[in-house]
Amino acid sequence: ALSDIAERGRGVGALQGLQHLQLDFSECKALSDIAELGRGVGALQGLQHLQLGFSSCSALSDIAELGRGVGALQGLQHLQLDFSFCKALSDIAELGRGVGALQGLQHLELNFDSCSALSDIAELGRGVGALQRLQHLEVKFGCKALSDSADLGRGVGAVERRQHRAR
């Protein structure tokens, strides 16, 4: 079972000319540490399209470094992250801050379906609300512990108002 992707993360960071990256770690149930992957992704300053799959990585709980890495990608236009069925994932605040830093982002898809430990998405809502150029937004939740989605609603509302004014 794949549980350590640190070497892959360092390898990704060496691919400086990369514009499109798609990695799928789905079903890696023992995978718990993706910090090195987050740092590697953050080094890819030319990246425009990022798609990462962690569906059913049931031991994955800390994605803060991935959030910081994503936030460093100022040229990113398309971001798709799948954390569905990551039952240990409880904190996505750093990811929310990272997403909010992506001023050129046009397409955002996030899947948190059945992330039963996830309860606070306020920072994600604020991050989405900061996206000036967003044209496509898809966020999936199925989180039993989710208590307050008001900030996500306000963030989506801010995107909608900007799109309406641009017409």
Side-chain angles (χ1 to χ4, degrees):
L2 184 63
S3 62
D4 185 4
I5 61 169
E7 199 58 45
R8 285 181 180 86
R10 286 187 284 278
V12 163
L15 303 171
Q16 288 302 305
L18 206 61
Q19 294 180 348
H20 184 116
L21 177 61
Q22 180 178 351
L23 296 172
D24 191 354
F25 298 100
S26 296
E27 300 288 331
C28 295
K29 296 186 184 312
L31 181 62
S32 61
D33 185 0
I34 60 170
E36 207 56 55
L37 178 65
R39 285 188 277 279
V41 164
L44 301 174
Q45 292 304 302
L47 203 62
Q48 297 172 5
H49 184 114
L50 177 60
Q51 182 176 345
L52 299 175
F54 298 100
S55 179
S56 298
C57 293
S58 49
L60 185 60
S61 61
D62 184 0
I63 61 169
E65 201 60 50
L66 179 64
R68 285 188 278 279
V70 164
L73 301 173
Q74 291 306 300
L76 200 64
Q77 298 170 9
H78 182 113
L79 177 61
Q80 186 175 348
L81 301 174
D82 183 359
F83 295 102
S84 59
F85 297 93
C86 290
K87 297 185 183 305
L89 184 61
S90 60
D91 185 357
I92 59 170
E94 203 59 52
L95 179 64
R97 284 188 278 279
V99 164
L102 301 173
Q103 291 308 301
L105 196 66
Q106 298 170 15
H107 184 108
L108 177 62
E109 289 183 40
L110 300 172
N111 188 349
F112 298 102
D113 187 35
S114 297
C115 293
S116 50
L118 186 60
S119 62
D120 185 0
I121 59 169
E123 202 60 52
L124 179 63
R126 288 189 280 278
V128 167
L131 299 174
Q132 301 291 317
R133 296 193 175 106
L134 195 63
Q135 297 171 12
H136 176 95
L137 174 65
E138 185 176 330
V139 183
K140 295 179 184 173
F141 292 102
C143 313
K144 294 175 186 164
L146 199 59
S147 60
D148 185 3
S149 60
D151 282 308
L152 182 62
R154 282 190 283 278
V156 170
V159 169
E160 188 176 289
R161 285 188 296 281
R162 278 194 296 276
Q163 286 179 338
H164 184 70
R165 280 192 300 252
R167 289 182 198 156

